[in-house]
Amino acid sequence: MVTRLSRLLTPTLREAPADADLPSHRLMLRAGLMRRLGEAAGLYALLPLGRAALARIEAIVREEMDRIGGQEVLLPIVQPAELWRQSGRWAVYGEEMWRLRDRHGREYCLGPTHEEAMTDLARLEVRSWRQLPLLLYQIQNKYRDERRPRFGMLRAREFVMKDAYSFHRDDEDLARCYRDVYDAYARIFARCGLDVRAVRADPGAIGGHGTHEFMALADAGEAEVVFCPRCDYAADVEEAEVAAVRADDLAGEQGRGGAPRRVATPGAHSIGEVAGALGVDAAATAKILFYIAEYADGRAAGPVAALLPGDRQLNEVKLGNRTGAVHLRPAEQGEVPVPLGSAGPVGLHDVPLFTDRRVAAGGPWVVGANDEGFHLMGVVARRDFDPGTVADLLAARAGDPCPACGAPLSCRRGIEVGQVFGLGTKYSSALKAHYLDAAGVERPMVMGCYGIGVTRTLAAVVEQHHDDNGIIWPGSVSPYDCAVVPVGAGEAAARALSAGERLTEALEARGVRAVLDDRDERPGVKFKDADLIGYPERVTLGRSLADGLVEWKGRREAEPRLVPLDEAAGRIAERVRAAGGGVGPQRGATDGR
Ligand code: ATP
Ligand code: MG
């Protein structure tokens, strides 16, 4: 059956609502893929084109999960509080969890994730080591009452997640499965046309063995990722190691040797002012930053000092890890024994000092003299001051050497589209999900969990694939492969329309998902909409039809080419296939619910 645009609910908009500020958010609204539900933040309806694109992503996810032995299940979204009490997370999950009661007053939540529920299933059904390993997944709506729902589908309060959980006899088998899922994720995102980097990440609240986040590179991303263009090293800026450089790399015009010189720097406080006053590079200065650290172990809160190159940013997470503080806040004038604008490490007492390893290894440095209006030049760690704890304290930045291979790192923002976790026995121990090993000994199952934000992936695809005129779908994800656009007036219009119908049928017969723009609109409107919606291919049937020709144009091409009408379907089908589009040999998409 021919799909007619006149009958399809695709309400395109010339302007996006004012509060939509990211390309994906704007374009998904303008192209009629989605609509917000009433005035509620972070709740979106997917319209037919959005649903179709999502279904294609889901199909790719299913295929790759099935390929590594995943079994699809579907657990209730509503979960009893009791399970979360057993894991200890009912009390700690906080306001992000959507909680509700039934008519008897019993407590439940709308699942933000399913570790507890899946572990419950495994503890009921798995008895023996012979039943392991098990990799279960589902594609389902998840609920998180995000503090700041925003960016459309990128951070919604109800969203579609593919979540998977694996159960193993031991750590080695978990490691094998983790690697399988990691590889499957890399294939899934590549097939969706996404440029991603797998980043070693902090295990955060879920806890356990290793974890990687899959980051789709995009300016809209909330995370900052450094990655190596030469090898596969990638890390969150918070986590990235900054390699120490050799001492002589930083030896500046101050020369080495000799005692520090005290110099007057009246009115100069910022690094720029000090470097300017002394005629040295900011990279030759070392700055000291004071924080008030709060500890969880009963130690009294107090100041700590971090010493780092003047041209670099402190990574507060790294400092926090080194100090053992649970919270750090910048100290204010009067909270430390030295004047903040002229502070330095020489003669600094009573404040624990953390020295970045570049400062410890390099120099000599210009530092504050702990005397208002004075600095010291030619200062070297260990000779002139006790560096205290030496550690990597820097926020990584583009150009830093890759810790793995030494090539200069690149830096981009990233959208977290997926994450893999080695959980270990955290949940199985808490919920007593045990199995009997070959010797008949009862052991907790070793677990992993793996998530993909399916709706977030859809938005990330739009974020990476668009231009000023609209979306440019990768063939594998596009809701339709080809728009057939009859244009013209009067009798010519009728001829174009009926030729368009036949061409649409011919395309469909070749497995191309085609849509016929049979609307009574001017050609300019039809072309604008086709560009906005972003069909990979477009065929226009107009004046040249009299000569048996149609105009064929790929979404990325500037100009159409003329091709004979009777060759069009075959040639388009070929290109659609090559781009991963069309009705594949792959299993058809079914609804995730
Ligand atoms: P984030 O740090 O972005 O809040 P998360 O670490 O809380 O994400 P996970 O618990 O790892 O997310 O969930 C698995 C996947 O679900 C994420 O990788 C992401 O793609 C997706 N996801 C999480 N929260 C949302 C949301 N509010 N809207 C859309 N997708 C989300
Ligand atoms: Mg995460």
Side-chain angles (χ1 to χ4, degrees):
M1 205 187 73
V2 170
T3 307
R4 291 164 203 278
L5 220 42
S6 63
R7 306 296 314 143
L8 202 60
L9 184 62
T10 54
T12 53
L13 303 171
R14 209 162 301 162
E15 297 290 334
D19 61 342
D21 38 16
L22 291 189
S24 61
H25 190 186
R26 274 203 306 271
L27 288 172
M28 289 178 74
L29 290 169
R30 284 190 55 212
L33 303 185
M34 70 174 192
R35 285 293 182 263
R36 192 167 73 177
L37 188 62
E39 293 298 304
L43 298 177
Y44 289 93
L46 279 172
L47 307 192
L49 291 183
R51 185 67 189 97
L54 188 73
R56 301 198 69 189
I57 297 177
E58 289 171 356
I60 291 171
V61 169
R62 284 199 171 86
E63 224 179 271
E64 296 296 345
M65 290 306 295
D66 291 351
R67 197 212 287 232
I68 57 168
Q71 305 181 50
E72 186 168 357
V73 294
L74 189 56
L75 272 61
I77 285 170
V78 178
Q79 302 179 18
E82 183 47 31
L83 289 178
W84 290 78
R85 291 211 170 89
Q86 289 171 24
S87 72
R89 287 208 291 182
W90 186 257
V92 299
Y93 211 97
E95 294 193 298
E96 215 172 88
M97 181 184 268
W98 229 310
R99 298 166 206 251
L100 61 159
R101 283 175 194 275
D102 69 8
R103 63 177 70 206
H104 307 293
R106 286 185 286 254
E107 290 178 292
Y108 298 83
C109 69
L110 300 180
T113 175
H114 274 67
E115 282 81 13
E116 283 80 357
M118 286 280 183
T119 308
D120 179 59
L121 179 65
R123 78 175 157 185
L124 291 174
E125 302 308 329
V126 177
R127 289 268 148 266
S128 145
W129 62 276
R130 286 175 224 276
Q131 291 168 276
L132 299 175
L134 205 51
L135 174 61
L136 303 176
Y137 75 93
Q138 57 179 352
I139 298 178
Q140 182 198 57
N141 286 11
K142 293 282 186 278
Y143 297 82
R144 295 184 184 180
D145 195 1
E146 297 274 357
R147 196 165 49 85
R148 288 183 68 194
R150 57 192 170 151
F151 308 147
M153 293 240 159
L154 287 176
R155 187 168 295 285
R157 295 196 294 169
E158 176 181 279
F159 57 96
V160 179
M161 196 199 287
K162 188 287 301 175
D163 49 325
Y165 307 83
S166 67
F167 301 88
H168 309 273
R169 286 145 68 178
D170 52 32
D171 281 342
E172 290 81 77
D173 197 50
L174 167 62
R176 179 215 33 92
C177 182
Y178 185 98
R179 180 45 66 181
D180 283 353
V181 178
Y182 180 104
D183 292 343
Y185 278 24
R187 287 193 298 269
I188 287 167
F189 294 125
R191 286 181 63 183
C192 290
L194 277 182
D195 184 12
V196 300
R197 294 292 181 281
V199 160
R200 269 172 293 184
D202 192 280
I206 292 196
H209 294 43
T211 172
H212 283 85
E213 289 175 347
F214 287 78
M215 296 290 187
L217 301 182
D219 295 341
E222 293 180 275
E224 208 167 346
V225 181
V226 289
F227 60 95
C228 179
R230 196 162 77 190
C231 71
D232 66 357
Y233 177 84
D236 191 291
V237 162
E238 307 278 78
E239 293 287 312
E241 187 187 340
V242 179
V245 288
R246 288 207 328 277
D248 50 324
D249 289 349
L250 285 175
E253 50 272 52
Q254 307 163 74
R256 302 191 69 82
R261 269 189 303 133
R262 186 178 148 96
V263 288
T265 48
H269 292 120
S270 71
I271 290 297
E273 288 163 356
V274 171
L278 297 176
V280 300
D281 201 278
T285 69
K287 63 185 170 194
I288 195 159
L289 303 174
F290 292 94
Y291 284 83
I292 303 299
E294 288 166 22
Y295 305 94
D297 59 7
R299 264 184 289 168
V304 294
L307 183 66
L308 58 149
D311 65 334
R312 299 293 305 231
Q313 297 283 325
L314 174 74
N315 178 334
E316 285 187 19
V317 175
K318 288 180 181 174
L319 179 64
N321 290 343
R322 282 299 170 160
T323 58
V326 286
H327 182 69
L328 290 173
R329 70 165 169 82
E332 289 173 19
Q333 197 75 260
E335 288 184 302
V336 291
V338 290
L340 282 184
S342 310
V346 181
L348 178 74
H349 301 296
D350 306 327
V351 179
L353 178 63
F354 295 81
T355 297
D356 177 63
R357 58 190 190 185
R358 288 194 172 196
V359 175
W365 304 94
V366 172
V367 300
N370 290 327
D371 190 1
E372 176 61 42
F374 290 93
H375 278 76
L376 299 175
M377 295 184 81
V379 170
V380 175
R382 294 192 182 88
R383 186 192 68 187
D384 301 320
F385 68 93
D386 174 2
T389 307
V390 175
D392 166 24
L393 299 178
L394 301 187
R397 70 181 184 196
D400 280 346
C402 169
C405 78
L409 292 174
S410 299
C411 191
R412 289 283 307 274
R413 301 199 73 82
I415 299 167
E416 182 196 317
V417 284
Q419 183 155 20
V420 291
F421 284 100
L423 289 173
T425 57
K426 177 178 156 115
Y427 293 93
S428 50
S429 296
L431 275 78
K432 302 198 170 55
H434 295 161
Y435 73 99
L436 293 177
D437 72 9
V441 178
E442 196 174 281
R443 299 183 184 282
M445 293 179 232
V446 177
M447 292 176 58
C449 74
Y450 320 89
I452 287 181
V454 187
T455 36
R456 185 182 282 185
T457 296
L458 174 63
V461 168
V462 176
E463 205 59 55
Q464 280 191 0
H465 299 275
H466 68 269
D467 63 12
D468 290 345
N469 298 323
I471 302 170
I472 309 176
W473 289 109
S476 56
V477 178
S478 185
Y480 286 94
D481 304 306
C482 182
V484 177
V485 186
V487 296
E491 230 165 77
R495 270 201 306 276
L497 184 60
S498 70
E501 276 170 2
R502 285 194 304 277
L503 178 57
T504 308
E505 280 165 359
L507 285 163
E508 290 281 347
R510 286 174 164 80
V512 174
R513 297 160 207 249
V515 59
L516 177 69
D517 192 350
D518 61 335
R519 296 174 303 165
D520 187 15
E521 291 283 3
R522 285 178 290 113
V525 171
K526 293 185 174 188
F527 295 155
K528 269 205 156 52
D529 275 356
D531 279 353
L532 176 59
I533 291 169
Y535 311 101
E537 309 290 346
R538 185 181 91 194
V539 206
T540 306
L541 302 95
R543 215 172 302 145
S544 57
L545 202 56
D547 306 318
L549 298 171
V550 297
E551 291 174 24
W552 175 27
K553 189 177 109 49
R555 174 63 176 80
R556 288 179 184 285
E557 294 167 346
E559 294 299 329
R561 74 183 85 177
L562 285 172
V563 295
L565 174 61
D566 53 3
E567 284 176 23
R571 289 177 59 181
I572 292 169
E574 219 168 276
R575 202 157 80 173
V576 163
R577 275 262 171 257
V583 184
Q586 68 261 57
R587 215 166 92 188
T590 54
D591 192 84
R593 302 291 298 276

